[in-house]
Short mmCIF file of all heavy atoms in Angstrom, two decimals:
data_model
loop_
_atom_site.label_atom_id
_atom_site.label_comp_id
_atom_site.label_asym_id
_atom_site.label_seq_id
_atom_site.Cartn_x
_atom_site.Cartn_y
_atom_site.Cartn_z
N ALA A 662 66.00 205.94 114.40
CA ALA A 662 66.12 204.71 115.18
C ALA A 662 66.88 203.74 114.36
O ALA A 662 66.25 203.24 113.39
CB ALA A 662 64.86 204.17 115.70
N ILE A 663 68.08 203.31 114.71
CA ILE A 663 68.95 202.46 113.85
C ILE A 663 69.18 201.09 114.62
O ILE A 663 69.89 201.18 115.61
CB ILE A 663 70.21 203.10 113.44
CG1 ILE A 663 69.93 204.44 112.73
CG2 ILE A 663 71.10 202.15 112.60
CD1 ILE A 663 71.18 205.30 112.48
N GLY A 664 68.57 200.12 114.01
CA GLY A 664 68.75 198.83 114.61
C GLY A 664 69.77 197.91 113.96
O GLY A 664 70.18 196.95 114.49
N ARG A 665 70.08 198.32 112.68
CA ARG A 665 70.99 197.43 111.85
C ARG A 665 71.80 198.31 111.05
O ARG A 665 71.27 199.22 110.27
CB ARG A 665 70.16 196.41 111.18
CG ARG A 665 71.03 195.28 110.50
CD ARG A 665 70.14 193.99 110.22
NE ARG A 665 68.99 194.48 109.36
CZ ARG A 665 68.88 194.44 108.02
NH1 ARG A 665 70.00 194.12 107.36
NH2 ARG A 665 67.77 194.79 107.47
N ILE A 666 73.14 198.02 110.90
CA ILE A 666 74.03 198.67 109.97
C ILE A 666 74.78 197.65 109.05
O ILE A 666 75.14 196.61 109.59
CB ILE A 666 75.01 199.61 110.73
CG1 ILE A 666 74.36 200.58 111.60
CG2 ILE A 666 76.01 200.18 109.79
CD1 ILE A 666 75.22 201.19 112.62
N VAL A 667 74.82 197.79 107.80
CA VAL A 667 75.54 196.94 106.85
C VAL A 667 76.77 197.75 106.18
O VAL A 667 76.44 198.82 105.74
CB VAL A 667 74.52 196.41 105.71
CG1 VAL A 667 75.43 195.58 104.72
CG2 VAL A 667 73.41 195.67 106.25
N LEU A 668 77.90 197.28 106.38
CA LEU A 668 79.12 197.84 105.78
C LEU A 668 79.53 196.95 104.77
O LEU A 668 79.68 195.61 104.99
CB LEU A 668 80.18 198.09 106.90
CG LEU A 668 79.76 198.92 108.09
CD1 LEU A 668 80.83 199.02 109.11
CD2 LEU A 668 79.22 200.43 107.70
N ALA A 669 80.10 197.37 103.54
CA ALA A 669 80.68 196.56 102.48
C ALA A 669 82.13 197.12 102.27
O ALA A 669 82.26 198.24 102.00
CB ALA A 669 79.90 196.67 101.21
N PHE A 670 83.13 196.22 102.62
CA PHE A 670 84.53 196.61 102.32
C PHE A 670 85.08 195.96 101.12
O PHE A 670 84.51 195.07 100.46
CB PHE A 670 85.29 196.09 103.61
CG PHE A 670 84.83 196.78 104.97
CD1 PHE A 670 84.14 196.10 105.88
CD2 PHE A 670 85.16 198.11 105.19
CE1 PHE A 670 83.76 196.65 107.12
CE2 PHE A 670 84.76 198.73 106.33
CZ PHE A 670 84.00 198.11 107.34
N ASP A 671 86.31 196.26 100.91
CA ASP A 671 86.94 195.84 99.62
C ASP A 671 87.78 194.57 99.80
O ASP A 671 88.87 194.68 100.45
CB ASP A 671 87.81 196.97 99.07
CG ASP A 671 88.48 196.62 97.71
OD1 ASP A 671 88.15 195.49 97.22
OD2 ASP A 671 89.20 197.46 97.16
N THR A 672 87.34 193.41 99.47
CA THR A 672 88.13 192.22 99.46
C THR A 672 88.62 191.81 98.05
O THR A 672 88.83 190.62 97.70
CB THR A 672 87.32 191.03 100.02
OG1 THR A 672 86.07 190.94 99.34
CG2 THR A 672 87.18 191.33 101.55
N ASP A 673 88.80 192.94 97.27
CA ASP A 673 89.44 192.76 95.89
C ASP A 673 88.55 191.87 95.02
O ASP A 673 88.97 190.60 94.73
CB ASP A 673 90.91 192.22 95.95
CG ASP A 673 91.54 192.37 94.61
OD1 ASP A 673 90.88 192.74 93.65
OD2 ASP A 673 92.91 192.35 94.49
N TRP A 674 87.61 192.42 94.45
CA TRP A 674 86.71 191.66 93.55
C TRP A 674 87.35 191.12 92.31
O TRP A 674 86.78 190.34 91.68
CB TRP A 674 85.49 192.49 93.23
CG TRP A 674 84.56 192.83 94.26
CD1 TRP A 674 84.38 193.92 94.89
CD2 TRP A 674 83.67 191.94 94.89
NE1 TRP A 674 83.46 193.92 95.87
CE2 TRP A 674 82.90 192.60 95.88
CE3 TRP A 674 83.40 190.46 94.76
CZ2 TRP A 674 82.02 192.02 96.84
CZ3 TRP A 674 82.32 189.86 95.50
CH2 TRP A 674 81.70 190.76 96.56
N ASP A 675 88.59 191.42 92.05
CA ASP A 675 89.27 191.17 90.84
C ASP A 675 89.97 189.78 91.07
O ASP A 675 90.40 189.16 90.04
CB ASP A 675 90.19 192.20 90.33
CG ASP A 675 90.47 191.99 88.86
OD1 ASP A 675 89.47 192.01 88.01
OD2 ASP A 675 91.64 191.86 88.35
N HIS A 676 90.17 189.47 92.27
CA HIS A 676 91.08 188.28 92.64
C HIS A 676 90.19 187.02 92.46
O HIS A 676 89.16 186.97 93.23
CB HIS A 676 91.70 188.39 93.99
CG HIS A 676 92.71 187.28 94.33
ND1 HIS A 676 93.69 186.84 93.42
CD2 HIS A 676 92.83 186.45 95.38
CE1 HIS A 676 94.29 185.83 93.94
NE2 HIS A 676 93.79 185.61 95.19
N PRO A 677 90.60 185.85 91.84
CA PRO A 677 89.66 184.73 91.69
C PRO A 677 89.56 184.02 92.99
O PRO A 677 88.44 183.42 93.15
CB PRO A 677 90.49 183.98 90.54
CG PRO A 677 91.33 184.88 89.82
CD PRO A 677 91.82 185.95 90.90
N MET A 678 90.47 184.07 93.85
CA MET A 678 90.43 183.11 95.10
C MET A 678 90.09 181.91 94.85
O MET A 678 89.23 181.08 95.52
CB MET A 678 89.48 183.85 96.07
CG MET A 678 89.79 185.15 96.66
SD MET A 678 88.69 185.73 97.86
CE MET A 678 89.48 187.41 98.35
N GLU A 679 90.81 181.13 93.95
CA GLU A 679 90.54 179.64 93.66
C GLU A 679 90.75 179.02 95.09
O GLU A 679 91.67 179.18 95.86
CB GLU A 679 91.66 179.23 92.75
CG GLU A 679 91.54 179.79 91.40
CD GLU A 679 92.28 180.97 91.08
OE1 GLU A 679 92.79 181.56 92.10
OE2 GLU A 679 92.51 181.27 89.90
N THR A 680 89.72 178.00 95.24
CA THR A 680 89.61 177.44 96.59
C THR A 680 90.61 176.30 97.02
O THR A 680 90.89 176.28 98.12
CB THR A 680 88.18 176.84 96.77
OG1 THR A 680 87.92 176.02 95.63
CG2 THR A 680 87.07 178.04 96.78
N VAL A 681 90.90 175.49 96.15
CA VAL A 681 91.83 174.40 96.36
C VAL A 681 92.91 174.28 95.31
O VAL A 681 92.79 174.75 94.25
CB VAL A 681 91.00 173.02 96.49
CG1 VAL A 681 90.03 173.12 97.59
CG2 VAL A 681 90.40 172.70 95.30
N GLN A 682 93.98 173.55 95.70
CA GLN A 682 95.12 173.12 94.77
C GLN A 682 96.10 174.26 94.48
O GLN A 682 97.13 174.13 94.37
CB GLN A 682 94.50 172.40 93.53
CG GLN A 682 93.67 171.22 93.69
CD GLN A 682 94.52 170.07 94.42
OE1 GLN A 682 95.69 170.03 94.38
NE2 GLN A 682 93.72 169.17 94.98
N MET A 683 95.46 175.59 94.32
CA MET A 683 96.32 176.68 93.97
C MET A 683 96.61 177.39 95.30
O MET A 683 95.65 178.09 95.86
CB MET A 683 95.65 177.58 92.87
CG MET A 683 95.61 176.91 91.57
SD MET A 683 94.74 178.13 90.32
CE MET A 683 95.98 179.41 90.33
N PRO A 684 97.74 177.61 95.54
CA PRO A 684 98.18 178.42 96.89
C PRO A 684 98.03 179.90 96.47
O PRO A 684 98.13 180.29 95.36
CB PRO A 684 99.51 178.03 97.23
CG PRO A 684 100.22 177.43 95.85
CD PRO A 684 99.02 176.84 95.13
N HIS A 685 97.94 180.78 97.52
CA HIS A 685 97.77 182.14 97.41
C HIS A 685 98.82 182.73 98.43
O HIS A 685 98.99 182.29 99.46
CB HIS A 685 96.37 182.59 97.79
CG HIS A 685 95.19 182.06 96.86
ND1 HIS A 685 94.92 182.65 95.69
CD2 HIS A 685 94.44 181.04 97.02
CE1 HIS A 685 93.97 181.92 95.15
NE2 HIS A 685 93.62 180.93 96.00
N ALA A 686 99.42 183.81 97.88
CA ALA A 686 100.48 184.45 98.61
C ALA A 686 99.95 185.32 99.99
O ALA A 686 100.68 185.60 100.82
CB ALA A 686 101.19 185.45 97.78
N GLU A 687 98.66 185.55 99.89
CA GLU A 687 97.92 186.39 100.99
C GLU A 687 96.96 185.65 101.60
O GLU A 687 96.16 184.84 100.79
CB GLU A 687 97.52 187.73 100.38
CG GLU A 687 98.66 188.57 99.76
CD GLU A 687 98.12 189.61 98.83
OE1 GLU A 687 97.33 189.28 97.88
OE2 GLU A 687 98.23 190.71 99.01
N SER A 688 96.56 185.92 102.79
CA SER A 688 95.40 185.36 103.39
C SER A 688 94.13 186.35 103.42
O SER A 688 93.07 186.04 103.67
CB SER A 688 95.65 184.73 104.77
OG SER A 688 96.16 185.63 105.58
N VAL A 689 94.58 187.71 103.43
CA VAL A 689 93.56 188.74 103.50
C VAL A 689 93.96 189.71 102.56
O VAL A 689 95.10 190.06 102.24
CB VAL A 689 93.57 189.38 104.86
CG1 VAL A 689 92.42 190.40 104.97
CG2 VAL A 689 93.27 188.28 106.04
N MET A 690 92.94 190.38 101.81
CA MET A 690 93.11 191.37 100.82
C MET A 690 93.53 192.83 101.49
O MET A 690 92.93 193.15 102.51
CB MET A 690 91.92 191.59 99.96
CG MET A 690 91.40 190.39 99.22
SD MET A 690 92.89 189.96 97.82
CE MET A 690 93.63 188.62 98.69
N PRO A 691 94.66 193.32 101.09
CA PRO A 691 95.12 194.51 101.75
C PRO A 691 94.18 195.67 101.75
O PRO A 691 94.12 196.55 102.80
CB PRO A 691 96.42 194.86 100.89
CG PRO A 691 96.23 194.27 99.54
CD PRO A 691 95.37 193.02 99.90
N PHE A 692 93.18 195.71 100.87
CA PHE A 692 92.21 196.92 100.77
C PHE A 692 91.13 196.73 101.92
O PHE A 692 90.43 197.72 102.16
CB PHE A 692 91.55 196.89 99.47
CG PHE A 692 92.44 196.97 98.23
CD1 PHE A 692 92.67 195.69 97.59
CD2 PHE A 692 93.22 198.09 97.83
CE1 PHE A 692 93.62 195.69 96.53
CE2 PHE A 692 93.91 197.97 96.76
CZ PHE A 692 94.16 196.93 96.00
N CYS A 693 91.01 195.57 102.48
CA CYS A 693 89.90 195.31 103.39
C CYS A 693 90.32 195.90 104.80
O CYS A 693 91.36 195.86 105.32
CB CYS A 693 89.66 193.92 103.62
SG CYS A 693 88.54 193.50 104.66
N ALA A 694 89.30 196.63 105.34
CA ALA A 694 89.50 197.19 106.73
C ALA A 694 89.61 196.17 107.72
O ALA A 694 88.78 195.21 107.90
CB ALA A 694 88.23 198.19 107.00
N ARG A 695 90.76 196.32 108.60
CA ARG A 695 90.93 195.30 109.66
C ARG A 695 90.14 195.86 110.95
O ARG A 695 89.56 194.96 111.52
CB ARG A 695 92.32 195.22 109.96
CG ARG A 695 92.64 194.17 110.92
CD ARG A 695 94.19 194.00 111.19
NE ARG A 695 94.38 192.93 112.14
CZ ARG A 695 95.74 192.31 112.40
NH1 ARG A 695 96.59 192.75 111.60
NH2 ARG A 695 95.71 191.47 113.51
N ARG A 696 90.32 197.08 111.18
CA ARG A 696 89.71 197.56 112.41
C ARG A 696 89.03 198.79 112.15
O ARG A 696 89.33 199.64 111.24
CB ARG A 696 90.85 198.05 113.41
CG ARG A 696 91.75 196.90 114.03
CD ARG A 696 92.42 197.49 115.25
NE ARG A 696 93.24 198.56 115.03
CZ ARG A 696 93.38 199.73 115.49
NH1 ARG A 696 92.47 200.00 116.55
NH2 ARG A 696 94.14 200.67 115.29
N TYR A 697 87.76 198.83 112.68
CA TYR A 697 86.85 199.98 112.43
C TYR A 697 85.98 200.11 113.68
O TYR A 697 85.82 199.24 114.55
CB TYR A 697 85.95 199.80 111.28
CG TYR A 697 85.02 198.68 111.32
CD1 TYR A 697 83.73 198.96 111.91
CD2 TYR A 697 85.24 197.51 110.77
CE1 TYR A 697 82.79 197.99 111.87
CE2 TYR A 697 84.33 196.42 110.87
CZ TYR A 697 82.98 196.70 111.43
OH TYR A 697 82.07 195.66 111.44
N ARG A 698 85.35 201.29 113.90
CA ARG A 698 84.32 201.49 114.95
C ARG A 698 83.40 202.49 114.40
O ARG A 698 83.62 203.31 113.40
CB ARG A 698 84.94 202.05 116.20
CG ARG A 698 85.69 203.43 116.08
CD ARG A 698 86.42 203.70 117.39
NE ARG A 698 87.27 204.91 117.22
CZ ARG A 698 88.37 205.17 117.86
NH1 ARG A 698 89.02 204.08 118.46
NH2 ARG A 698 89.17 206.23 117.57
N VAL A 699 82.17 202.42 115.00
CA VAL A 699 80.96 203.24 114.59
C VAL A 699 80.54 204.06 115.83
O VAL A 699 80.37 203.50 116.94
CB VAL A 699 79.78 202.31 114.08
CG1 VAL A 699 78.74 203.31 113.76
CG2 VAL A 699 80.28 201.44 112.97
N ARG A 700 80.52 205.44 115.61
CA ARG A 700 80.06 206.34 116.77
C ARG A 700 78.69 207.00 116.51
O ARG A 700 78.30 207.09 115.24
CB ARG A 700 81.06 207.40 116.89
CG ARG A 700 82.48 206.90 117.35
CD ARG A 700 83.41 208.12 117.52
NE ARG A 700 84.80 207.69 117.90
CZ ARG A 700 85.27 207.48 119.11
NH1 ARG A 700 84.48 207.69 120.15
NH2 ARG A 700 86.37 207.20 119.34
N ASP A 701 78.07 207.40 117.47
CA ASP A 701 76.82 208.09 117.31
C ASP A 701 77.05 209.54 117.39
O ASP A 701 78.23 210.04 117.44
CB ASP A 701 75.69 207.73 118.26
CG ASP A 701 76.08 208.02 119.77
OD1 ASP A 701 77.15 208.63 120.02
OD2 ASP A 701 75.41 207.50 120.70
N GLU A 702 75.92 210.52 117.47
CA GLU A 702 76.19 211.84 117.41
C GLU A 702 76.86 212.32 118.69
O GLU A 702 77.41 213.48 118.67
CB GLU A 702 74.78 212.59 117.17
CG GLU A 702 73.75 212.40 118.33
CD GLU A 702 72.55 213.03 118.06
OE1 GLU A 702 72.62 214.30 117.72
OE2 GLU A 702 71.48 212.45 118.26
N GLU A 703 76.82 211.60 119.75
CA GLU A 703 77.50 211.97 121.02
C GLU A 703 78.91 211.41 121.07
O GLU A 703 79.53 211.57 122.10
CB GLU A 703 76.76 211.51 122.27
CG GLU A 703 75.23 211.97 122.21
CD GLU A 703 75.25 213.55 122.40
OE1 GLU A 703 76.19 214.03 123.02
OE2 GLU A 703 74.19 214.05 122.00
N SER A 704 79.39 210.93 119.94
CA SER A 704 80.70 210.28 119.74
C SER A 704 80.86 209.01 120.62
O SER A 704 82.04 208.57 120.88
CB SER A 704 81.83 211.31 120.14
OG SER A 704 83.05 210.84 119.71
N ARG A 705 79.78 208.47 121.04
CA ARG A 705 79.85 207.14 121.77
C ARG A 705 80.04 206.00 120.77
O ARG A 705 79.43 206.10 119.74
CB ARG A 705 78.58 206.89 122.66
CG ARG A 705 78.27 207.89 123.76
CD ARG A 705 76.99 207.68 124.40
NE ARG A 705 75.85 208.00 123.41
CZ ARG A 705 74.75 208.50 123.73
NH1 ARG A 705 74.54 208.87 125.05
NH2 ARG A 705 73.90 208.75 122.86
N VAL A 706 81.00 205.06 121.25
CA VAL A 706 81.27 203.91 120.41
C VAL A 706 80.00 202.98 120.42
O VAL A 706 79.73 202.54 121.61
CB VAL A 706 82.48 203.30 120.68
CG1 VAL A 706 82.68 201.91 119.76
CG2 VAL A 706 83.64 204.20 120.54
N ILE A 707 79.28 202.73 119.39
CA ILE A 707 78.01 201.91 119.40
C ILE A 707 78.44 200.54 118.76
O ILE A 707 77.67 199.58 118.88
CB ILE A 707 76.86 202.52 118.76
CG1 ILE A 707 77.10 202.85 117.23
CG2 ILE A 707 76.42 203.81 119.58
CD1 ILE A 707 75.93 203.32 116.62
N ALA A 708 79.54 200.48 118.12
CA ALA A 708 79.97 199.20 117.38
C ALA A 708 81.44 199.26 117.08
O ALA A 708 81.87 200.39 116.77
CB ALA A 708 79.12 198.82 116.21
N GLU A 709 82.15 198.24 117.23
CA GLU A 709 83.53 198.19 116.77
C GLU A 709 83.84 196.76 116.33
O GLU A 709 83.39 195.74 116.88
CB GLU A 709 84.42 198.78 117.75
CG GLU A 709 84.47 198.10 119.18
CD GLU A 709 85.30 198.82 120.20
OE1 GLU A 709 86.27 199.52 119.73
OE2 GLU A 709 84.98 198.84 121.40
N CYS A 710 84.98 196.67 115.56
CA CYS A 710 85.56 195.36 115.26
C CYS A 710 87.00 195.49 115.27
O CYS A 710 87.60 196.38 114.63
CB CYS A 710 85.05 195.02 113.81
SG CYS A 710 85.66 193.40 113.22
N ALA A 711 87.73 194.50 115.76
CA ALA A 711 89.11 194.58 115.92
C ALA A 711 89.92 193.73 114.91
O ALA A 711 90.97 193.95 114.68
CB ALA A 711 89.44 194.05 117.40
N ASP A 712 89.21 192.86 114.22
CA ASP A 712 89.96 191.94 113.33
C ASP A 712 89.09 191.43 112.28
O ASP A 712 88.77 190.28 112.07
CB ASP A 712 90.66 190.82 114.07
CG ASP A 712 91.65 190.15 113.19
OD1 ASP A 712 92.11 190.71 112.20
OD2 ASP A 712 92.10 188.98 113.55
N ASN A 713 88.61 192.36 111.36
CA ASN A 713 87.68 191.90 110.27
C ASN A 713 88.62 191.58 109.09
O ASN A 713 89.58 192.08 108.72
CB ASN A 713 86.88 193.18 109.87
CG ASN A 713 85.98 192.84 108.57
OD1 ASN A 713 85.36 191.92 108.57
ND2 ASN A 713 86.38 193.69 107.57
#
Side-chain angles (χ1 to χ4, degrees):
I663 299 173
R665 188 162 55 93
I666 303 169
V667 179
L668 305 175
F670 296 108
D671 183 5
T672 52
D673 192 353
W674 291 108
D675 206 60
H676 185 45
M678 294 190 178
E679 293 92 345
T680 50
V681 299
Q682 304 294 342
M683 289 183 66
H685 299 274
E687 302 157 300
S688 60
V689 183
M690 298 295 98
F692 307 99
C693 183
R695 179 174 183 173
R696 292 196 302 126
Y697 67 86
R698 63 186 171 218
V699 182
R700 296 182 184 271
D701 66 6
E702 63 182 312
E703 302 297 331
S704 199
R705 292 175 296 216
V706 176
I707 59 174
E709 59 185 329
C710 181
D712 193 14
N713 172 59

